[in-house]
Structure formats: structure tokens, C-alpha cells
Amino acid sequence: MTKNYLEQVPVPEFNSKAKNLPKPLIEKCPGIIQKFENTYGAKPDFVARSPGRVNLIGEHIDYCDFSVLPLAIDVDMLCAVKVLDDKNPSITLTNADPNFAQRKFDLPLDGSYVTIDPSISDWSNYFKCGLHVAHSFLKRFAPERFTNAPLAGLQVFCEGDVPTGSGLSSSAAFICAVALAVVEANMGPNYHMSKQDLMRITVVAEHYVGVNNGGMDQAASVCGEEDHALYVEFKPQLKATPFKFPQLKNYEVSFVIVNTLVVSNKFETAPTNYNLRVVEVTTAANVLAATYGVVLPSEKEGSCINKGNLRDFMDIYYARYHNVSTPWNGDIETGIERLTKMLELVEESLASKKQGFSVDDVALALNCSREEFTREYLTASPVRFQVLKLYQRAKHVYSESLRVLKALKLMTTAKFTTDEDFFKQFGALMNESQASCDKLYECSCPEIDKICSIALSNGSYGSRLTGAGWGGCTVHLVPGGPNGNIEKVKKALINQFYKVKYPKITEAELEDAIIVSKPALGSCLYEL
Ligand code: NG1
């Protein structure tokens, strides 16, 4: 297990005199400061920034506590903030995007939390999620100041270029920037928040708007580092370890991000898509546990359905049947061995119901009543389904987690002979991931499939959806550098996908739809 170096690392802070000001701050801060001034009539005190991310491999496994391989990219969300000294504090929010109207709300004088109504879909709810987790952090960190007293009033101007609903984590970028801003505004410039704290508090933030997400997006957004991908682990503790791609002889390792322009609204589709998958994998873990006579932990911190998950099942199965006293600690070889075993158990115990489990089937397997199952698993957030596809979902989670370990092994042990061998091996894992997302997890869509097939025929070695899927973005492993295939892949996608599917698409829209981004810096602050 590698050391968690983030404990001591503060979120980077810059000012105009800083020598190595990161590119996103140089390019974007002057604009947002000017817009803040135009809106509120004075300069902000600081700008908080957090980026979007692309996930290279490891989809829909973070909420089962399995590790993932994302990287932060250079599209991001910025919040310019002025702290007000008001007796009756309030927060005013302005968004550079006119689709998001200005909002204003009061801060409770007794120091209680601002309420969030998850039944409405409003952009200010995402702000309130960041506000809530920051407030809760402040109450724990400095109870004497924040237990019975209100937070500071703020004027905020938000601007971002992470496409929304595209699987690049616009919501995590926003929430992480907000949480950082609220802590900075209330603690002042002499306090330096650690990356670990910001990551730890933001991973559960979207639960307050009813999305049962895992913590990948926030970890990547907070901890991103230039030229590094991140290996994000959730157990035994949350941590993000940066690593570089291997140096190849003739090519650069490049990832091209291609937007389907199909917007998947996570909030509205949650009952049949994201949240239903969380229910299916949680149910699968418990059916496996009942089948093999083990009991999963309940009351899990950060989980909406307090029922244990597929990683818990793996650990408890090994403790019971292999006399292993400690849970899996992330070691690659042990993980590969145990995940392979889990895939055998999934075949052995769930494959007989490939057509899916009805509520009655699950109740029987769990030895409980229909009502009990409904109450315990199906009421935390609304879901709609005919059957629960436990076999397919569990097989995806364990096989995808295995692919992440194989990808990490390939990168860290450099066991490849030529450049092409690296691209082929890493690409094959990405292609298997896409097949599993499509066939087993059913989170792909025709546009994703089409883009992947065009990219693969024109020089991509691995092509897959990234993020939750059902639309959004895809990611492609393409040899980069002067001898690479990036231009060929882009041209093919423009002619064979965008101009066919969206004949009226403009040059500017095309420009935004295909992103070739280097791994970027994570959350940071710019003090004026
Ligand atoms: P996107 O689609 O980028 O929001 C979502 C989840 C992640 C993860 C991926 C699937 C949220 C905020 N994020 O990402 O935690 O589960 O899907 O791998 O819901």
C-alpha cells in the first residue's frame, strides 16, 4: 500500500505575483474577475477553481468501493467570491451562463444548515451541496465559531466550461469549487485546507440532491496533477495516488475525449439508470452474502442504502472461507486473484437467473418479505424496474475492477515490448470495458457505440464511454505526437459522426465537442 501523501498537502494557492501560475488561472481569472465586478460593483476577494475529469477505466464501480483510474482535465468551474460583513447574511449566486438565473438565499442566524429540496432540479441545489459539506466541516473543525453562529454572507459569480450532463463531472467540479470557496471565505486566507479534507468532505456531497454517487469525480477534481493520472482508492481509506504514463519511444500516450452531445440528465433519469444500478449492485452483494452464508456490514458511512456492497462481500467471503484476517489492501496481485474468484461465484450463484430477479425472487433469496425488501432497498430514492439484473451487474463490477488492476499493472510495471504493444494491451482493456458497460451494465447508447466504432477504425486503440454513460462523453486511447493518429481520428469523427448526426453543427460546437486535454491541475485558489 502506498503512503497517503495527501494528508499534509494543502490545496494549491496562487496570486498574481506567483511565478508558475497554472494555465487555467492565467487564461480564465481576468475574465471572471471582470464579470464579477460588472455584476456586483466591486472586485472579488478570491477565485476558487476545480476541474472536470475523464475516467480512463473503472466505470460504475466507485460506489462499490473499487478503485478507478481518472485524470483531471483542463475544463473547469470557477467561483469568484466576495465575503460580506452582514448582520443578516445571505448568499447571492450569479452564473455566467444565462440559462441559470440569479439566486439569493438567507443563511440561518442560528448556524443551522441551509435546507436543500432534492425534489427540484435547480442549479443552486448543487451550490447548496457544496455549502452543506463545507459548513459541516467548519462545525467540526471550529465548533466554537460555527455551532450557533451563521456563516459569512457571500456574493458569488460562477463560470465554467465543463459541458453539463456529459460525463465529465461538471457537478463535481462545481461542488468542489464551492466547498473550497465556503471554507476559504469563513476561515480566511491564513487557513490552508488540505486536499485530503476537501476530497473527503465532497465525495458524499451529491447525496444531498438524491444522487447515490461514488467518490471518483470529486477525488479526481480535487487531486488532479499536471501530466499525471490518478489511481483513486476508496478502501481501506480514501486516497488518490498520481502516476505518470510510461515514456514511449515514438509516440505520446494521448486520450481524446469525444462528446456524443446526447445529454443525460442524471437527476431525471436516476430512477431507471444511475440509482437503479446502485440498487441492483447492492442487492446482488446481499444475495451473494445470503447464498454463501455471510453477513454484510450495515450502516455504511457515505452510502444511501445502508446494506454493504460487492467489495464488502469479497472481503467478508475471504475472511470466512480463506481465513484472511484483513480485508484486501489494494495489492494488485491479491486483487486480481480475489476478483477472479468473485467472478466464479457470480457464475455459480446468479447465472441461473440471467433474465433477472423479480421482487419475489429477491425476497426469497434474502429470506425476507417483499415489504421488507421494498422498505430496506427501494425507498431511499425512487427506482423503477421490471426485474433486477443481478447477474449482469455484479459480473460487470467485478470484471471492471479486475480490468482497472490490469491497467494499473501495465502502466506501473511497463511489461510491454513496443509502443504498439502498450497501445494494444491498454486499448484492449478499454474495449472490454466498453463491451461490459454496453452488454452487462446497459449504460451505453447508439451514439456512444457509433463514435467508438469510428474511432477504432481510424487509429484509436481503445474506445469507451466515460462517466455514467447513457449519452455524455467517450474517451479514446490514441497515439499522440508528430507521428500519431489524433488528427485522423478527429477528421473521421467530424465527417462520419457529427456532420451526419448533427448536419447543422457549427465550427465552434465542433471545437468544443472533441477535447484533447493533458492531465490538469486539480482544485486551487487564486487570491486577489
Ligand atoms: P458522471 O457521469 O461523470 O457524473 C457518475 C458518478 C461517478 C461514477 C460514474 C460512473 C456522479 C456525480 N458521479 O459520473 O461517481 O459512479 O458515474 O463510473 O454521479
Side-chain angles (χ1 to χ4, degrees), residues 406-442:
K406 288 182 178 169
L408 186 70
K409 186 170 166 184
L410 182 64
M411 287 207 256
T412 49
T413 59
K415 282 216 169 118
F416 48 89
T417 47
T418 58
D419 288 7
E420 180 161 37
D421 187 27
F422 171 80
F423 284 117
K424 278 192 171 157
Q425 287 194 53
F426 200 95
L429 293 167
M430 291 176 70
N431 293 331
E432 285 166 25
S433 165
Q434 171 58 24
S436 182
C437 285
D438 180 22
K439 300 279 178 305
L440 298 175
Y441 225 65
E442 298 180 271

Side-chain angles (χ1 to χ4, degrees), residues 329-348:
N329 69 359
D331 167 70
I332 294 181
E333 292 307 329
T334 312
I336 290 177
E337 182 198 314
R338 293 190 189 177
L339 286 163
T340 307
K341 177 72 190 170
M342 290 301 109
L343 284 165
E344 284 170 28
L345 300 188
V346 167
E347 292 298 334
E348 188 176 276

Side-chain angles (χ1 to χ4, degrees), residues 130 133-135 137 140 179-180 183 193 196-205 238:
V133 295
H135 194 180
F137 171 76
R140 265 177 288 127
L180 177 61
V183 171
M193 187 175 203
Q196 183 71 20
D197 279 339
L198 184 57
M199 171 168 74
R200 189 174 45 74
I201 67 171
T202 50
V203 289
V204 292
L238 177 63

Side-chain angles (χ1 to χ4, degrees), residues 192-468:
H192 306 289
M193 187 175 203
S194 74
K195 289 190 183 192
Q196 183 71 20
D197 279 339
L198 184 57
M199 171 168 74
R200 189 174 45 74
I201 67 171
T202 50
V203 289
V204 292
E206 281 191 49
H207 291 193
Y208 297 100
V209 280
V211 178
N212 293 344
N213 66 294
M216 158 168 71
D217 308 348
Q218 299 76 6
S221 186
V222 172
C223 302
E225 286 197 17
E226 284 172 0
D227 297 328
H228 289 75
L230 297 165
Y231 180 55
V232 179
E233 297 166 84
F234 303 97
K235 256 188 151 183
Q237 63 164 326
L238 177 63
K239 90 179 164 188
T241 311
F243 63 88
K244 282 202 167 188
F245 288 100
Q247 201 73 40
L248 301 183
K249 288 203 185 77
N250 301 313
Y251 299 102
E252 285 169 19
V253 177
S254 300
F255 291 95
V256 179
I257 302 161
V258 182
N259 196 336
T260 61
L261 302 179
V262 175
V263 174
S264 163
N265 183 322
K266 204 181 311 137
F267 177 78
E268 282 162 18
T269 60
T272 53
N273 293 351
Y274 197 91
N275 284 355
L276 178 58
R277 294 294 178 274
V278 177
V279 165
E280 289 178 304
V281 291
T282 309
T283 308
N286 283 275
V287 169
L288 284 166
T291 309
Y292 293 98
V294 294
V295 178
L296 301 187
S298 52
E299 301 304 320
K300 276 181 73 73
E301 192 188 341
S303 154
C304 286
I305 314 173
N306 292 325
K307 286 289 167 198
N309 60 30
L310 286 166
R311 175 141 179 194
D312 293 321
F313 170 69
M314 184 171 95
D315 285 341
I316 289 169
Y317 177 88
Y318 266 84
R320 166 86 188 268
Y321 292 103
H322 293 261
N323 226 356
V324 179
S325 56
T326 47
W328 176 46
N329 69 359
D331 167 70
I332 294 181
E333 292 307 329
T334 312
I336 290 177
E337 182 198 314
R338 293 190 189 177
L339 286 163
T340 307
K341 177 72 190 170
M342 290 301 109
L343 284 165
E344 284 170 28
L345 300 188
V346 167
E347 292 298 334
E348 188 176 276
S349 61
L350 301 176
S352 60
K353 281 210 179 298
K354 283 192 180 145
Q355 74 284 11
F357 286 64
S358 66
V359 169
D360 286 331
D361 293 334
V362 175
L364 185 68
L366 294 180
N367 194 19
C368 67
S369 66
R370 275 180 72 93
E371 292 66 34
E372 213 177 319
F373 173 67
T374 305
R375 188 177 64 242
E376 302 269 312
Y377 290 79
L378 307 179
T379 44
S381 17
V383 285
R384 290 196 306 275
F385 60 91
Q386 299 292 326
V387 285
L388 297 168
K389 295 197 179 170
L390 306 189
Y391 167 74
Q392 290 85 340
R393 310 311 186 217
K395 186 169 175 178
H396 167 79
V397 168
Y398 285 134
S399 63
E400 184 75 352
S401 307
L402 192 54
R403 282 185 284 274
V404 171
L405 295 183
K406 288 182 178 169
L408 186 70
K409 186 170 166 184
L410 182 64
M411 287 207 256
T412 49
T413 59
K415 282 216 169 118
F416 48 89
T417 47
T418 58
D419 288 7
E420 180 161 37
D421 187 27
F422 171 80
F423 284 117
K424 278 192 171 157
Q425 287 194 53
F426 200 95
L429 293 167
M430 291 176 70
N431 293 331
E432 285 166 25
S433 165
Q434 171 58 24
S436 182
C437 285
D438 180 22
K439 300 279 178 305
L440 298 175
Y441 225 65
E442 298 180 271
C443 60
S444 191
C445 69
E447 291 80 1
I448 292 174
D449 300 342
K450 184 76 189 163
I451 286 176
C452 290
S453 121
I454 295 170
L456 288 169
S457 312
N458 286 278
S460 163
Y461 280 81
S463 290
R464 55 181 298 276
L465 64 86
T466 185

Side-chain angles (χ1 to χ4, degrees), residues 19-32:
K19 289 218 176 68
N20 297 325
L21 205 59
K23 198 168 128 237
L25 294 183
I26 299 177
E27 287 175 356
K28 295 169 183 169
C29 278
I32 193 169

Side-chain angles (χ1 to χ4, degrees), residues 53 55 58-63 166-172 206 211-218 266 274 466-469:
R53 64 99 187 94
N55 188 23
E59 226 58 85
H60 288 279
I61 59 172
D62 58 348
Y63 48 84
S166 67
L168 299 182
S169 297
S170 55
S171 51
E206 281 191 49
V211 178
N212 293 344
N213 66 294
M216 158 168 71
D217 308 348
Q218 299 76 6
K266 204 181 311 137
Y274 197 91
T466 185

